[in-house]
Amino acid sequence: MPALLTKSLGVVCPSCDFLNVVAAVRCMACGSATEGAASARTDVAPKLQAPEISNTAANDATTPSSPVPAAAPPGLKRSTSTTTTPMPQPQPQPTRGPPTRPTFQSSAPTQTTPQVAAPKFGLTVLAGPARGQRFRLAATGAQVGRAKGAILFPDDPFISPLHATLSIRDGKLYVKDESSTSGVYVSINSTETIPANGTFCTGLRLFRFVGAVEPAEPWNKVDVLVYGATVPNGQIHYAVEEVMLGDRGGRCLLSPGPVLTVGQGRCDFSYPNDEGLAPRHCEISPLPDGAMIRDLSGGLGTYVRVTGERPIKAGDRMRVGQQTLQVEALS
């Protein structure tokens, strides 16, 4: 009888045909062996040959760290002590920063621009009460005065409390007159143009170019005229006067000539005892809107007054009060 029927239905005895209970081994009526005994032996055999393994045992068998020991043969006592292999501990990984990006550099040699040092300037007093003194200007310049500034001349009565400012910009030196009373004068290289009523100095003398002098108007037989020399009609005359101490007018020369001269001798303005003058020191040539000054001193210097700000360079000279200063380039 098939195994499925013997498990589901009762067992029929082959000797007396008695219907026994399910899986009966012997007949309940005659005691003969039934087909349920063969079925029971068949079912038991596989269990002895292949015992069932639980899920836990199966999982432990697949784990490398806890292997399941093989079944011991009959008659031998299985050892309960097992050797466990320690699992390797994970090594700490070193802390890594952000990945470095590759840099691409040209194979051409790098050209470095040489650093050009800023020029340095100084002042040396060539003439005056402070003759021989030297001053080193700061990187931005300095101020000159009698009471204010880095360069002081406290005993010079012709220097204002704040007289001038020296500034260094873009490697160049500039001088500015700070509305001083006596003014700042700078030497000219060859020629310089000055306006009417402009001043210039040579040696120990200060001059003012007055400009053109117009003839007097004809008398109208009503007004009263003031005594004085007349200016010839029909030709323009120019006047140059010497300025005395306290801004007073001194000697004045009126001439229609194209050139007026200043020097030690044989000039329109001659000063034989002034050692700061050359024999023919300078020339004044009148212009329609001023005059042109030409230096002929051979290094003694002719100076014009600074208006506003003026650039100067190494080798130029300045007159501030009674002091004559020369600009020097320092290393």
Side-chain angles (χ1 to χ4, degrees):
M1 184 178 294
L4 180 60
L5 295 179
T6 59
K7 291 181 180 181
S8 302
L9 303 177
V11 179
V12 178
C13 179
S15 300
C16 63
D17 295 329
F18 181 80
L19 180 61
N20 296 282
V21 295
V22 178
V25 179
R26 291 185 179 274
C27 180
M28 299 175 61
C30 65
S32 302
T34 64
E35 295 180 359
S39 176
R41 288 191 298 269
T42 306
D43 295 336
V44 172
K47 294 181 180 180
L48 295 176
Q49 296 177 2
E52 184 179 358
I53 301 175
S54 63
N55 293 333
T56 304
N59 293 336
D60 294 339
T62 58
T63 304
S65 60
S66 57
V68 177
L76 294 178
K77 185 178 180 180
R78 186 175 58 186
S79 176
T80 57
S81 61
T82 58
T83 302
T84 58
T85 304
M87 296 180 62
Q89 297 295 328
Q91 297 294 330
Q93 297 294 332
T95 305
R96 297 181 180 179
T100 57
R101 298 181 178 179
T103 57
F104 301 94
Q105 298 180 354
S106 174
S107 59
T110 304
Q111 296 181 356
T112 58
T113 303
Q115 297 293 335
V116 179
K120 300 178 182 179
F121 297 95
L123 296 177
T124 301
V125 182
L126 300 180
R131 179 180 179 180
Q133 293 189 16
R134 302 186 67 181
F135 303 93
R136 186 184 186 93
L137 301 183
T140 57
Q143 289 183 323
V144 182
R146 184 160 45 90
K148 299 179 182 179
I151 302 176
L152 299 178
F153 301 100
D155 299 329
D156 195 331
F158 300 100
I159 294 182
S160 300
L162 178 59
H163 201 94
T165 299
L166 297 167
S167 304
I168 300 176
R169 300 192 305 271
D170 300 330
K172 296 181 180 180
L173 181 62
Y174 299 85
V175 60
K176 179 182 178 182
D177 185 359
E178 297 291 351
S179 302
S180 62
T181 302
S182 298
V184 179
Y185 293 84
V186 177
S187 61
I188 64 176
N189 294 326
S190 178
T191 59
E192 186 86 10
T193 301
I194 61 174
N197 293 319
T199 56
F200 63 98
C201 58
T202 59
L204 300 178
R205 310 291 171 173
L206 179 63
F207 299 92
R208 178 184 294 114
F209 176 73
V210 179
V213 178
E214 301 292 339
E217 295 181 358
W219 181 48
N220 55 13
K221 298 183 180 181
V222 176
D223 296 331
V224 179
L225 299 180
V226 179
Y227 282 117
T230 61
V231 177
N233 293 324
Q235 191 174 7
I236 299 177
H237 285 66
Y238 298 91
V240 177
E241 67 174 351
E242 182 182 3
V243 181
M244 309 302 292
L245 184 65
D247 198 23
R248 295 174 298 170
R251 180 184 175 187
C252 182
L253 180 63
L254 182 70
S255 173
V259 174
L260 296 175
T261 58
V262 178
Q264 282 187 337
R266 297 183 182 182
C267 296
D268 297 314
F269 288 93
S270 297
Y271 304 94
N273 298 325
D274 192 337
E275 297 179 356
L277 291 177
R280 189 180 180 91
H281 198 96
C282 66
E283 294 178 349
I284 304 101
S285 301
L287 299 174
D289 54 352
M292 184 180 67
I293 310 297
R294 183 185 299 275
D295 178 40
L296 304 173
S297 64
L300 294 176
T302 300
Y303 301 80
V304 296
R305 185 165 185 171
V306 174
T307 56
E309 190 177 51
R310 179 187 177 105
I312 54 178
K313 62 182 182 302
D316 290 346
R317 298 179 182 181
M318 294 189 305
R319 281 195 173 177
V320 180
Q322 295 177 309
Q323 321 298 324
T324 301
L325 303 98
Q326 183 170 352
V327 180
E328 295 181 351
L330 305 178
S331 57

